[in-house]
Amino acid sequence: MANLVKYPQIQEKLFMEIKGVVQDGEENIKEEELQKMPYLKAIILEGLRRHPPGHFVLPHAVTEDAALGKYVVPKDGTINFMMAEMGWNPKVWEDPMAFKPERFLSIGGETFDITGSREIKMMPFGAGRRICPANGLAILHLEYFVANLIWRFEWKAVDGDDVDLSEKEEFTVVMKNPLQAQICPRLK
Ligand code: HEM
């Protein structure tokens, strides 16, 4: 939401996408309508890439000596995956620190594989056997709330306030300075 306040043109583009799918006067966007909104999905994926709620997955361990590339991880050794850094890797992502949902639209019309079963370019939910079992549920909720919040309200920055995207670590990573916004109802 902070990025949608910071970049009103992205918010407007999303609103126009929603308007093309949802009937005028409809109060709540329905679950099945979300599937017709590729730009919404791109915004959610870009949010998870640029601001993953966890910067590491849960610590993993090996039960026997294991070779990982040119390294050996000894039995019972712990491995921490630097998940946020993967999503910010300039060798994989062009201009990685910028918020550009479009990057998820130009992958040959295919939906981005968040589970990393083919290749791992980011892994906000982890990957493999211990991947977050709720990744589908989480994305559905993110899409549902963001779409409805934008459909019902216009979100504007507070006058003279530049939205600060700095982060701090709590149980998950959160905004260092919580988002403040002026919200105006769109429906009459
Ligand atoms: C945006 C929201 C969420 C994110 C980014 C997220 C991310 C993650 C990550 C990174 C892991 C660790 C994966 C690993 O160790 O390899 C994890 C594990 C897990 N998550 Fe989530 N999660 C989210 C929402 C949820 C929700 C809503 C639930 C429950 C309803 C949930 C349940 C779990 C469980 C049970 C595990 C442990 C799985 C295991 O160790 O086998 N997560 N999640």
Side-chain angles (χ1 to χ4, degrees):
M1 290 308 295
N3 275 293
L4 298 183
V5 173
K6 194 173 176 76
Y7 304 113
Q9 70 284 11
I10 299 182
Q11 182 178 157
E12 182 60 19
K13 193 169 166 185
L14 173 59
F15 179 68
M16 293 314 289
E17 178 178 76
I18 299 172
K19 210 168 152 49
V21 172
V22 175
Q23 306 267 314
D24 277 348
E26 192 174 317
E27 283 217 344
N28 293 319
I29 301 172
K30 298 184 202 76
E31 192 180 323
E32 53 275 19
E33 289 168 330
L34 300 173
Q35 309 319 320
K36 298 177 193 153
M37 299 177 190
Y39 192 62
L40 168 68
K41 181 162 287 295
I43 287 174
I44 299 304
L45 290 172
E46 181 67 342
L48 287 166
R49 181 195 69 80
R50 183 58 189 83
H51 303 283
H55 282 200
F56 297 91
V57 295
L58 301 172
H60 289 244
V62 290
T63 51
E64 54 190 63
D65 288 1
L68 190 63
K70 55 185 176 167
Y71 301 96
V72 172
V73 185
K75 185 172 187 287
D76 296 331
T78 303
I79 307 176
N80 284 296
F81 291 85
M82 296 169 75
M83 209 159 58
E85 298 289 333
M86 292 181 191
W88 303 340
N89 185 348
K91 291 186 188 146
V92 176
W93 300 96
E94 199 188 310
D95 197 6
M97 300 320 269
F99 190 81
K100 292 185 184 168
E102 281 72 15
R103 62 175 97 237
F104 285 97
L105 292 178
S106 53
I107 45 173
E110 269 189 52
T111 316
F112 183 80
D113 173 24
I114 197 75
T115 65
S117 57
R118 275 167 279 154
E119 59 170 352
I120 297 178
K121 293 171 83 179
M122 69 173 192
M123 43 183 253
F125 295 102
R129 243 192 315 192
R130 304 307 290 268
I131 192 172
C132 176
N135 66 78
L137 178 76
I139 289 191
L140 173 64
H141 277 78
L142 289 168
E143 289 179 356
Y144 186 79
F145 282 109
V146 170
N148 275 293
L149 287 171
I150 295 299
W151 179 234
R152 297 281 284 268
F153 302 100
E154 184 179 1
W155 293 65
K156 289 187 190 155
V158 173
D159 276 348
D161 186 16
D162 189 23
V163 178
D164 177 8
L165 297 171
S166 315
E167 300 178 339
K168 68 172 180 181
E169 212 151 331
E170 292 192 351
F171 178 67
T172 58
V173 175
V174 297
M175 289 184 81
K176 187 168 168 196
N177 298 305
L179 176 64
Q180 298 212 26
Q182 287 176 340
I183 56 173
C184 316
R186 294 190 200 257
L187 299 177
K188 303 217 171 78

